[in-house]
Each structure stands twice: as structure tokens, then as C-alpha cells.
Amino acid sequence: MMSKKSMSTLERISFGEYVRSLRGKANLPLRKVAAELNIDTSTLSKIEKNERNANEQIIDGISRMFKIDQSELKVRYISDKITNQLLNEEDGLEILKIVEKKIKYYRRKKT
Amino acid sequence: MMSKKSMSTLERISFGEYVRSLRGKANLPLRKVAAELNIDTSTLSKIEKNERNANEQIIDGISRMFKIDQSELKVRYISDKITNQLLNEEDGLEILKIVEKKIKYYRRKKT
DNA sequence: ACTTCTTGGACATCATTTGTCCAAAAGTAA
DNA sequence: TTACTTTTGGACAAATGATGTCCAAGAAGT
């Protein structure tokens, strides 16, 4: 049985690093991908270095371009963001547990 | 054994509602608490209705005023925020699991 | 060297948040 | 009801943060 604590290499890399790796495998310059996504080359560079935010439209474009699952990519993006919010919080892990309970609670109530 | 899924009443209420309940128990008007916190009455009203953000300073002030644990209050605040970010995400719970792994991973690395 | 790719800074613009005030609504007690 | 206090929501400017765009210089490949 796989330990819950382990992280695959894929999970370990950040959203930006992941996008860069996709682009690398496809052997495409920033220029081309950025054009396809209708954003500036420089902006894409920064996204890949986690210095700029992506958004829904960009994420969708990337997933279409590289034929990867859109929600997987979104999950990567959001989980990075939240990790950054909690990484320096003393009680980060406790917060996660509470959030989990809250989400489950509200979902049960609302659906 | 207590189910992991259960939520105490205290956990169920929002940050704002909690602050309001503290103020209610102490029987203090917004005016007085806001003055103590150096914020506008209106702002505090909105914080209690979760329509405005609190911040570190305000959270600290509230915990001092009502003699409650400062990190507990902070945990409440942040967990509310993150819950709101994830509540409407299809993959919210999956994201939480990944965040947990990431935090554990980075903490192991960095400390 | 020449060319292409990548990066970082500058900048205006746009969006969001904050602090503040005020008037009206809601509540309390005479 | 009237008088008083508390609470709310809207409006607004100021501050802060995000976005889009351009360009020049650094890095990498030929």
C-alpha cells in the first residue's frame, strides 16, 4: 500500500515548473506558446517561474495545447497557491483539517 | 471514538459570527470594541458579517480583549478564507490532500 | 559572430481593498 | 410615540495590488 505521505515527482514540482516541462517536451519556445495563449512572452516566462498568476483561460489553453487534463492542471495551480498561503503558518496542517471538515459540512448541507 | 467528520458548534460558526458572539457575551457595543481596536464601527460591523477582511492586528486585538487564544482565532480566520476559496471547486478535497502533502514535504526539507 | 530564446525592469492601466464618513434602519426603553 | 443607542449599508477617495505591454540585455544554440 502506498503511503499517504509520499509525493510523486510530478506532484513535487510547481505549477510553473510543470508548464515549463510540458513546453520543453514539446520543444516549443515561449514565443509560440504565448502566442497561442494570447499572452505576452514575458508573462508566460513569469508564469513558468511562478512570478505571475495564471488564470482559468490560460490554464485551459495550456491543457488544450499539451493535451493534458484540464482539472488536473487546475488542481496543480490552486494547490500551489494554497500551499504558499499556509506554508509559513504555524498551524497550517490544523487549518487544513478544519477546512476539510467545513467543506464536507457545507456540501452536505447545500446539495 | 469521535468521527473525524463531526464539527462542533464552535467550529461551525464563521469567524465573523464568532467575534460577534464574543462581543455579545461581553455585552459590548461595536462602538467600544471598534475603538479599542482602532477601527471604524462600520468596519467592525462588516468584519462580523464577513464582509470585510480582518488582519493580524485586529485579530490580535480581539484575542487580547476577550482573552481567547490568539492562534485559535487566527486559525478560524484563515480556515474560513481557504474554505471559501475551495468550496466551489469541484476538486476542493483533492486539493486539500495535495496541499497537505506539499506542506509536509517542504517542512521536512526546510527544517 | 549571429540568431533566437529568455528574463527582468519599467510603466500605465485596471481591479481590489482599506479607511472613513454619514444617513437611515433596527433595536431598546421611557 | 418619542428619544436614544446600536447597527447597517452605501458612497467615496486613497492606497495597494494585479495585469498587460514593451523593450533592452542576458543566456543559449548554431
Short mmCIF file of all heavy atoms in Angstrom, two decimals, chain B residues 6-64:
data_model
loop_
_atom_site.label_atom_id
_atom_site.label_comp_id
_atom_site.label_asym_id
_atom_site.label_seq_id
_atom_site.Cartn_x
_atom_site.Cartn_y
_atom_site.Cartn_z
N SER B 6 -17.27 14.99 12.23
CA SER B 6 -18.14 15.84 13.03
C SER B 6 -17.53 17.23 13.22
O SER B 6 -16.32 17.42 13.17
CB SER B 6 -18.37 15.21 14.39
OG SER B 6 -17.20 15.32 15.17
N MET B 7 -18.41 18.19 13.45
CA MET B 7 -17.96 19.55 13.69
C MET B 7 -18.66 20.09 14.91
O MET B 7 -19.88 20.06 14.99
CB MET B 7 -18.39 20.42 12.52
CG MET B 7 -17.33 20.62 11.48
SD MET B 7 -18.02 21.69 10.23
CE MET B 7 -17.17 23.20 10.59
N SER B 8 -17.88 20.60 15.80
CA SER B 8 -18.51 21.20 16.98
C SER B 8 -19.23 22.47 16.56
O SER B 8 -18.97 23.03 15.51
CB SER B 8 -17.44 21.51 18.01
OG SER B 8 -16.69 22.62 17.58
N THR B 9 -20.12 22.89 17.43
CA THR B 9 -20.84 24.13 17.15
C THR B 9 -19.86 25.28 16.97
O THR B 9 -20.01 26.11 16.08
CB THR B 9 -21.79 24.47 18.32
OG1 THR B 9 -22.58 23.32 18.60
CG2 THR B 9 -22.71 25.62 17.95
N LEU B 10 -18.87 25.30 17.80
CA LEU B 10 -17.88 26.37 17.72
C LEU B 10 -17.18 26.38 16.37
O LEU B 10 -16.94 27.43 15.79
CB LEU B 10 -16.82 26.19 18.81
CG LEU B 10 -17.09 26.95 20.10
CD1 LEU B 10 -15.89 26.86 21.00
CD2 LEU B 10 -17.43 28.40 19.81
N GLU B 11 -16.87 25.18 15.89
CA GLU B 11 -16.20 25.11 14.60
C GLU B 11 -17.12 25.52 13.47
O GLU B 11 -16.69 26.02 12.45
CB GLU B 11 -15.67 23.70 14.34
CG GLU B 11 -14.43 23.36 15.14
CD GLU B 11 -14.03 21.90 14.96
OE1 GLU B 11 -14.92 21.03 14.82
OE2 GLU B 11 -12.83 21.64 14.98
N ARG B 12 -18.40 25.30 13.66
CA ARG B 12 -19.35 25.51 12.59
C ARG B 12 -19.57 26.99 12.29
O ARG B 12 -19.87 27.35 11.17
CB ARG B 12 -20.68 24.83 12.94
CG ARG B 12 -21.55 24.55 11.75
CD ARG B 12 -22.42 23.35 11.99
NE ARG B 12 -22.80 23.22 13.40
CZ ARG B 12 -23.00 22.06 14.03
NH1 ARG B 12 -22.85 20.93 13.38
NH2 ARG B 12 -23.35 22.02 15.28
N ILE B 13 -19.44 27.81 13.27
CA ILE B 13 -19.72 29.22 13.01
C ILE B 13 -18.51 29.91 12.40
O ILE B 13 -17.37 29.52 12.61
CB ILE B 13 -20.19 29.97 14.28
CG1 ILE B 13 -19.04 30.16 15.27
CG2 ILE B 13 -21.36 29.26 14.92
CD1 ILE B 13 -19.44 30.98 16.46
N SER B 14 -18.81 30.93 11.63
CA SER B 14 -17.76 31.64 10.90
C SER B 14 -16.96 32.54 11.84
O SER B 14 -17.37 32.80 12.97
CB SER B 14 -18.37 32.49 9.80
OG SER B 14 -19.07 33.58 10.39
N PHE B 15 -15.85 33.01 11.32
CA PHE B 15 -15.03 33.95 12.07
C PHE B 15 -15.85 35.14 12.56
O PHE B 15 -15.85 35.47 13.75
CB PHE B 15 -13.88 34.44 11.20
CG PHE B 15 -13.02 35.47 11.86
CD1 PHE B 15 -12.05 35.12 12.77
CD2 PHE B 15 -13.20 36.82 11.56
CE1 PHE B 15 -11.26 36.09 13.38
CE2 PHE B 15 -12.42 37.80 12.18
CZ PHE B 15 -11.45 37.42 13.08
N GLY B 16 -16.56 35.74 11.65
CA GLY B 16 -17.36 36.92 11.99
C GLY B 16 -18.40 36.61 13.05
O GLY B 16 -18.55 37.35 14.03
N GLU B 17 -19.09 35.51 12.86
CA GLU B 17 -20.11 35.12 13.83
C GLU B 17 -19.48 34.87 15.20
O GLU B 17 -20.07 35.19 16.24
CB GLU B 17 -20.83 33.86 13.37
CG GLU B 17 -21.74 34.05 12.17
CD GLU B 17 -22.20 32.72 11.55
OE1 GLU B 17 -21.46 31.72 11.63
OE2 GLU B 17 -23.29 32.70 10.97
N TYR B 18 -18.29 34.33 15.16
CA TYR B 18 -17.61 34.04 16.42
C TYR B 18 -17.25 35.33 17.15
O TYR B 18 -17.51 35.47 18.36
CB TYR B 18 -16.35 33.23 16.14
CG TYR B 18 -15.58 32.85 17.38
CD1 TYR B 18 -16.18 32.13 18.39
CD2 TYR B 18 -14.25 33.23 17.52
CE1 TYR B 18 -15.46 31.79 19.54
CE2 TYR B 18 -13.53 32.88 18.65
CZ TYR B 18 -14.14 32.17 19.66
OH TYR B 18 -13.42 31.83 20.78
N VAL B 19 -16.71 36.28 16.42
CA VAL B 19 -16.38 37.56 17.03
C VAL B 19 -17.63 38.21 17.60
O VAL B 19 -17.64 38.71 18.73
CB VAL B 19 -15.71 38.50 16.01
CG1 VAL B 19 -15.52 39.89 16.60
CG2 VAL B 19 -14.37 37.93 15.56
N ARG B 20 -18.69 38.14 16.81
CA ARG B 20 -19.93 38.74 17.31
C ARG B 20 -20.40 38.04 18.58
O ARG B 20 -20.88 38.69 19.52
CB ARG B 20 -21.01 38.69 16.23
CG ARG B 20 -22.36 39.19 16.71
CD ARG B 20 -23.17 39.85 15.63
NE ARG B 20 -22.52 41.03 15.08
CZ ARG B 20 -23.14 41.92 14.29
NH1 ARG B 20 -24.41 41.75 13.96
NH2 ARG B 20 -22.50 42.96 13.83
N SER B 21 -20.24 36.74 18.63
CA SER B 21 -20.68 36.03 19.83
C SER B 21 -19.84 36.42 21.04
O SER B 21 -20.36 36.54 22.15
CB SER B 21 -20.64 34.52 19.59
OG SER B 21 -19.33 34.02 19.76
N LEU B 22 -18.55 36.64 20.81
CA LEU B 22 -17.70 37.08 21.92
C LEU B 22 -18.16 38.44 22.43
O LEU B 22 -18.29 38.68 23.64
CB LEU B 22 -16.25 37.20 21.46
CG LEU B 22 -15.51 35.91 21.12
CD1 LEU B 22 -14.16 36.22 20.48
CD2 LEU B 22 -15.32 35.06 22.38
N ARG B 23 -18.41 39.31 21.49
CA ARG B 23 -18.83 40.65 21.85
C ARG B 23 -20.19 40.60 22.57
O ARG B 23 -20.42 41.33 23.54
CB ARG B 23 -18.92 41.52 20.60
CG ARG B 23 -19.11 42.99 20.88
CD ARG B 23 -18.92 43.81 19.64
NE ARG B 23 -19.87 43.46 18.58
CZ ARG B 23 -21.14 43.89 18.55
NH1 ARG B 23 -21.59 44.68 19.49
NH2 ARG B 23 -21.94 43.52 17.57
N GLY B 24 -21.05 39.72 22.08
CA GLY B 24 -22.35 39.57 22.71
C GLY B 24 -22.24 39.11 24.16
O GLY B 24 -22.85 39.70 25.05
N LYS B 25 -21.39 38.11 24.36
CA LYS B 25 -21.22 37.60 25.73
C LYS B 25 -20.69 38.69 26.65
O LYS B 25 -21.06 38.79 27.81
CB LYS B 25 -20.27 36.40 25.74
CG LYS B 25 -21.01 35.07 25.78
CD LYS B 25 -20.08 33.90 26.03
CE LYS B 25 -19.11 33.71 24.87
NZ LYS B 25 -18.39 32.42 24.89
N ALA B 26 -19.81 39.53 26.11
CA ALA B 26 -19.24 40.60 26.93
C ALA B 26 -20.17 41.80 26.99
O ALA B 26 -19.90 42.76 27.72
CB ALA B 26 -17.90 41.02 26.35
N ASN B 27 -21.22 41.74 26.20
CA ASN B 27 -22.22 42.80 26.21
C ASN B 27 -21.63 44.17 25.88
O ASN B 27 -21.87 45.15 26.58
CB ASN B 27 -22.91 42.83 27.58
CG ASN B 27 -24.39 43.18 27.43
OD1 ASN B 27 -24.84 43.51 26.34
ND2 ASN B 27 -25.12 43.10 28.53
N LEU B 28 -20.85 44.19 24.85
CA LEU B 28 -20.23 45.45 24.43
C LEU B 28 -20.75 45.86 23.06
O LEU B 28 -20.93 45.02 22.20
CB LEU B 28 -18.71 45.26 24.35
CG LEU B 28 -17.96 45.03 25.66
CD1 LEU B 28 -16.52 44.61 25.37
CD2 LEU B 28 -18.00 46.29 26.50
N PRO B 29 -20.99 47.12 22.87
CA PRO B 29 -21.40 47.59 21.55
C PRO B 29 -20.23 47.67 20.58
O PRO B 29 -19.08 47.77 21.01
CB PRO B 29 -21.95 48.99 21.82
CG PRO B 29 -21.22 49.43 23.04
CD PRO B 29 -20.97 48.21 23.87
N LEU B 30 -20.52 47.62 19.31
CA LEU B 30 -19.50 47.77 18.28
C LEU B 30 -18.61 48.97 18.59
O LEU B 30 -17.38 48.89 18.46
CB LEU B 30 -20.15 47.99 16.91
CG LEU B 30 -20.87 46.81 16.25
CD1 LEU B 30 -21.66 47.29 15.04
CD2 LEU B 30 -19.85 45.77 15.82
N ARG B 31 -19.25 50.05 18.92
CA ARG B 31 -18.55 51.29 19.23
C ARG B 31 -17.34 51.09 20.14
O ARG B 31 -16.23 51.51 19.82
CB ARG B 31 -19.56 52.25 19.90
CG ARG B 31 -19.12 53.63 20.20
CD ARG B 31 -20.30 54.48 20.69
NE ARG B 31 -21.13 53.81 21.70
CZ ARG B 31 -20.84 53.76 23.00
NH1 ARG B 31 -19.74 54.33 23.45
NH2 ARG B 31 -21.66 53.17 23.84
N LYS B 32 -17.56 50.39 21.22
CA LYS B 32 -16.47 50.23 22.20
C LYS B 32 -15.37 49.31 21.70
O LYS B 32 -14.19 49.60 21.86
CB LYS B 32 -17.03 49.68 23.52
CG LYS B 32 -17.96 50.64 24.22
CD LYS B 32 -17.78 50.59 25.73
CE LYS B 32 -18.64 51.67 26.39
NZ LYS B 32 -18.74 51.50 27.84
N VAL B 33 -15.78 48.22 21.13
CA VAL B 33 -14.77 47.27 20.64
C VAL B 33 -13.98 47.88 19.50
O VAL B 33 -12.76 47.79 19.45
CB VAL B 33 -15.43 45.95 20.22
CG1 VAL B 33 -14.40 45.00 19.66
CG2 VAL B 33 -16.16 45.31 21.40
N ALA B 34 -14.69 48.54 18.61
CA ALA B 34 -14.01 49.16 17.47
C ALA B 34 -13.00 50.19 17.95
O ALA B 34 -11.88 50.26 17.43
CB ALA B 34 -15.04 49.80 16.53
N ALA B 35 -13.40 50.98 18.94
CA ALA B 35 -12.48 51.99 19.47
C ALA B 35 -11.21 51.33 20.00
O ALA B 35 -10.10 51.75 19.70
CB ALA B 35 -13.17 52.79 20.57
N GLU B 36 -11.40 50.28 20.74
CA GLU B 36 -10.27 49.53 21.30
C GLU B 36 -9.36 48.99 20.21
O GLU B 36 -8.14 48.92 20.38
CB GLU B 36 -10.83 48.37 22.14
CG GLU B 36 -9.83 47.64 22.99
CD GLU B 36 -9.43 48.40 24.25
OE1 GLU B 36 -10.14 49.38 24.60
OE2 GLU B 36 -8.40 48.05 24.85
N LEU B 37 -9.96 48.64 19.10
CA LEU B 37 -9.17 48.07 18.00
C LEU B 37 -8.68 49.13 17.03
O LEU B 37 -8.02 48.82 16.03
CB LEU B 37 -10.01 47.04 17.22
CG LEU B 37 -10.55 45.84 18.00
CD1 LEU B 37 -11.51 45.04 17.14
CD2 LEU B 37 -9.40 44.95 18.49
N ASN B 38 -9.04 50.37 17.30
CA ASN B 38 -8.69 51.46 16.40
C ASN B 38 -9.21 51.28 14.98
O ASN B 38 -8.52 51.56 14.00
CB ASN B 38 -7.16 51.63 16.33
CG ASN B 38 -6.62 52.22 17.61
OD1 ASN B 38 -7.09 53.25 18.07
ND2 ASN B 38 -5.63 51.54 18.19
N ILE B 39 -10.41 50.82 14.88
CA ILE B 39 -11.05 50.76 13.57
C ILE B 39 -12.43 51.38 13.67
O ILE B 39 -12.96 51.60 14.75
CB ILE B 39 -11.17 49.31 13.03
CG1 ILE B 39 -12.02 48.46 13.97
CG2 ILE B 39 -9.80 48.70 12.83
CD1 ILE B 39 -12.22 47.05 13.47
N ASP B 40 -12.98 51.65 12.52
CA ASP B 40 -14.30 52.25 12.44
C ASP B 40 -15.37 51.27 12.90
O ASP B 40 -15.26 50.06 12.69
CB ASP B 40 -14.54 52.63 10.98
CG ASP B 40 -15.64 53.64 10.82
OD1 ASP B 40 -15.33 54.84 10.92
OD2 ASP B 40 -16.80 53.22 10.65
N THR B 41 -16.41 51.79 13.52
CA THR B 41 -17.53 50.96 13.93
C THR B 41 -18.08 50.17 12.75
O THR B 41 -18.34 48.97 12.83
CB THR B 41 -18.68 51.85 14.46
OG1 THR B 41 -18.17 52.69 15.48
CG2 THR B 41 -19.79 51.00 15.01
N SER B 42 -18.23 50.88 11.65
CA SER B 42 -18.77 50.26 10.45
C SER B 42 -17.88 49.11 9.95
O SER B 42 -18.38 48.07 9.51
CB SER B 42 -18.90 51.33 9.37
OG SER B 42 -19.26 50.78 8.16
N THR B 43 -16.60 49.32 10.03
CA THR B 43 -15.69 48.26 9.61
C THR B 43 -15.85 47.02 10.47
O THR B 43 -15.91 45.90 9.97
CB THR B 43 -14.23 48.75 9.67
OG1 THR B 43 -14.09 49.90 8.82
CG2 THR B 43 -13.27 47.67 9.23
N LEU B 44 -15.94 47.22 11.77
CA LEU B 44 -16.10 46.07 12.64
C LEU B 44 -17.42 45.36 12.37
O LEU B 44 -17.49 44.13 12.33
CB LEU B 44 -16.02 46.49 14.11
CG LEU B 44 -16.16 45.35 15.13
CD1 LEU B 44 -15.14 44.24 14.88
CD2 LEU B 44 -16.04 45.88 16.56
N SER B 45 -18.45 46.14 12.13
CA SER B 45 -19.72 45.54 11.78
C SER B 45 -19.57 44.64 10.56
O SER B 45 -20.07 43.50 10.53
CB SER B 45 -20.75 46.63 11.49
OG SER B 45 -21.88 46.11 10.84
N LYS B 46 -18.85 45.14 9.57
CA LYS B 46 -18.67 44.34 8.36
C LYS B 46 -17.79 43.12 8.61
O LYS B 46 -18.02 42.05 8.04
CB LYS B 46 -18.11 45.22 7.24
CG LYS B 46 -19.16 46.12 6.63
CD LYS B 46 -18.57 47.31 5.90
CE LYS B 46 -19.65 48.34 5.61
NZ LYS B 46 -19.10 49.70 5.43
N ILE B 47 -16.80 43.26 9.43
CA ILE B 47 -15.98 42.10 9.76
C ILE B 47 -16.84 41.02 10.39
O ILE B 47 -16.75 39.84 10.06
CB ILE B 47 -14.81 42.50 10.70
CG1 ILE B 47 -13.78 43.33 9.93
CG2 ILE B 47 -14.16 41.26 11.30
CD1 ILE B 47 -12.69 43.93 10.80
N GLU B 48 -17.71 41.45 11.30
CA GLU B 48 -18.56 40.47 11.96
C GLU B 48 -19.55 39.82 11.00
O GLU B 48 -20.07 38.74 11.25
CB GLU B 48 -19.31 41.13 13.11
CG GLU B 48 -18.40 41.46 14.30
CD GLU B 48 -19.17 42.00 15.49
OE1 GLU B 48 -20.36 42.32 15.35
OE2 GLU B 48 -18.58 42.12 16.57
N LYS B 49 -19.82 40.50 9.90
CA LYS B 49 -20.71 39.91 8.91
C LYS B 49 -19.93 39.30 7.75
O LYS B 49 -20.50 39.00 6.69
CB LYS B 49 -21.72 40.96 8.43
CG LYS B 49 -22.45 41.60 9.60
CD LYS B 49 -23.35 42.73 9.16
CE LYS B 49 -24.73 42.24 8.79
NZ LYS B 49 -25.04 42.45 7.37
N ASN B 50 -18.66 39.14 7.95
CA ASN B 50 -17.77 38.55 6.95
C ASN B 50 -17.80 39.30 5.62
O ASN B 50 -17.70 38.70 4.56
CB ASN B 50 -18.12 37.06 6.73
CG ASN B 50 -18.04 36.26 8.00
OD1 ASN B 50 -16.99 36.18 8.64
ND2 ASN B 50 -19.16 35.67 8.39
N GLU B 51 -17.94 40.60 5.72
CA GLU B 51 -17.97 41.41 4.51
C GLU B 51 -16.71 42.24 4.35
O GLU B 51 -16.53 42.95 3.37
CB GLU B 51 -19.19 42.36 4.54
CG GLU B 51 -20.51 41.65 4.36
CD GLU B 51 -21.69 42.55 4.70
OE1 GLU B 51 -21.48 43.73 5.05
OE2 GLU B 51 -22.84 42.06 4.64
N ARG B 52 -15.86 42.19 5.34
CA ARG B 52 -14.58 42.87 5.27
C ARG B 52 -13.53 41.95 5.85
O ARG B 52 -13.82 41.13 6.72
CB ARG B 52 -14.59 44.16 6.11
CG ARG B 52 -15.27 45.35 5.45
CD ARG B 52 -14.50 45.90 4.31
NE ARG B 52 -13.83 47.16 4.58
CZ ARG B 52 -14.15 48.32 4.01
NH1 ARG B 52 -15.15 48.40 3.16
NH2 ARG B 52 -13.47 49.41 4.26
N ASN B 53 -12.31 42.13 5.39
CA ASN B 53 -11.22 41.32 5.93
C ASN B 53 -10.79 41.82 7.30
O ASN B 53 -10.82 43.02 7.56
CB ASN B 53 -10.01 41.38 5.00
CG ASN B 53 -10.27 40.66 3.70
OD1 ASN B 53 -11.03 39.70 3.66
ND2 ASN B 53 -9.64 41.13 2.64
N ALA B 54 -10.38 40.90 8.10
CA ALA B 54 -9.66 41.27 9.32
C ALA B 54 -8.17 41.24 8.96
O ALA B 54 -7.80 40.98 7.82
CB ALA B 54 -9.95 40.29 10.43
N ASN B 55 -7.35 41.56 9.90
CA ASN B 55 -5.91 41.41 9.68
C ASN B 55 -5.26 41.03 11.01
O ASN B 55 -5.92 40.97 12.05
CB ASN B 55 -5.31 42.70 9.10
CG ASN B 55 -5.49 43.89 10.02
OD1 ASN B 55 -5.45 43.76 11.24
ND2 ASN B 55 -5.72 45.06 9.44
N GLU B 56 -4.00 40.75 10.94
CA GLU B 56 -3.24 40.32 12.11
C GLU B 56 -3.50 41.21 13.33
O GLU B 56 -3.78 40.73 14.42
CB GLU B 56 -1.75 40.35 11.77
CG GLU B 56 -0.87 39.53 12.68
CD GLU B 56 -0.65 38.11 12.13
OE1 GLU B 56 -0.83 37.90 10.91
OE2 GLU B 56 -0.33 37.22 12.94
N GLN B 57 -3.41 42.49 13.09
CA GLN B 57 -3.54 43.44 14.20
C GLN B 57 -4.92 43.36 14.85
O GLN B 57 -5.04 43.34 16.09
CB GLN B 57 -3.30 44.84 13.65
CG GLN B 57 -3.00 45.88 14.71
CD GLN B 57 -3.15 47.29 14.11
OE1 GLN B 57 -2.79 47.51 12.95
NE2 GLN B 57 -3.69 48.21 14.89
N ILE B 58 -5.93 43.28 14.02
CA ILE B 58 -7.29 43.19 14.53
C ILE B 58 -7.50 41.87 15.26
O ILE B 58 -8.09 41.83 16.35
CB ILE B 58 -8.29 43.35 13.37
CG1 ILE B 58 -8.25 44.80 12.83
CG2 ILE B 58 -9.70 42.98 13.80
CD1 ILE B 58 -9.03 45.02 11.55
N ILE B 59 -7.00 40.81 14.69
CA ILE B 59 -7.15 39.50 15.32
C ILE B 59 -6.46 39.50 16.68
O ILE B 59 -7.00 39.02 17.68
CB ILE B 59 -6.59 38.39 14.41
CG1 ILE B 59 -7.48 38.26 13.17
CG2 ILE B 59 -6.48 37.07 15.15
CD1 ILE B 59 -6.97 37.30 12.13
N ASP B 60 -5.27 40.05 16.72
CA ASP B 60 -4.56 40.11 17.99
C ASP B 60 -5.34 40.93 19.01
O ASP B 60 -5.46 40.55 20.18
CB ASP B 60 -3.16 40.73 17.79
CG ASP B 60 -2.26 39.80 16.99
OD1 ASP B 60 -2.69 38.68 16.66
OD2 ASP B 60 -1.12 40.20 16.70
N GLY B 61 -5.86 42.06 18.54
CA GLY B 61 -6.62 42.92 19.44
C GLY B 61 -7.83 42.19 20.02
O GLY B 61 -8.09 42.27 21.22
N ILE B 62 -8.53 41.50 19.17
CA ILE B 62 -9.72 40.78 19.63
C ILE B 62 -9.35 39.70 20.64
O ILE B 62 -10.00 39.54 21.67
CB ILE B 62 -10.46 40.15 18.43
CG1 ILE B 62 -11.07 41.26 17.56
CG2 ILE B 62 -11.54 39.19 18.90
CD1 ILE B 62 -11.60 40.78 16.23
N SER B 63 -8.27 38.98 20.34
CA SER B 63 -7.91 37.90 21.26
C SER B 63 -7.47 38.47 22.61
O SER B 63 -7.76 37.88 23.65
CB SER B 63 -6.82 37.01 20.65
OG SER B 63 -5.61 37.72 20.52
N ARG B 64 -6.81 39.60 22.58
CA ARG B 64 -6.42 40.22 23.85
C ARG B 64 -7.66 40.69 24.62
O ARG B 64 -7.81 40.43 25.80
CB ARG B 64 -5.47 41.40 23.61
CG ARG B 64 -4.10 41.18 24.26
CD ARG B 64 -3.14 42.35 24.05
NE ARG B 64 -2.75 42.52 22.65
CZ ARG B 64 -3.22 43.46 21.84
NH1 ARG B 64 -4.09 44.34 22.26
NH2 ARG B 64 -2.81 43.52 20.57
#
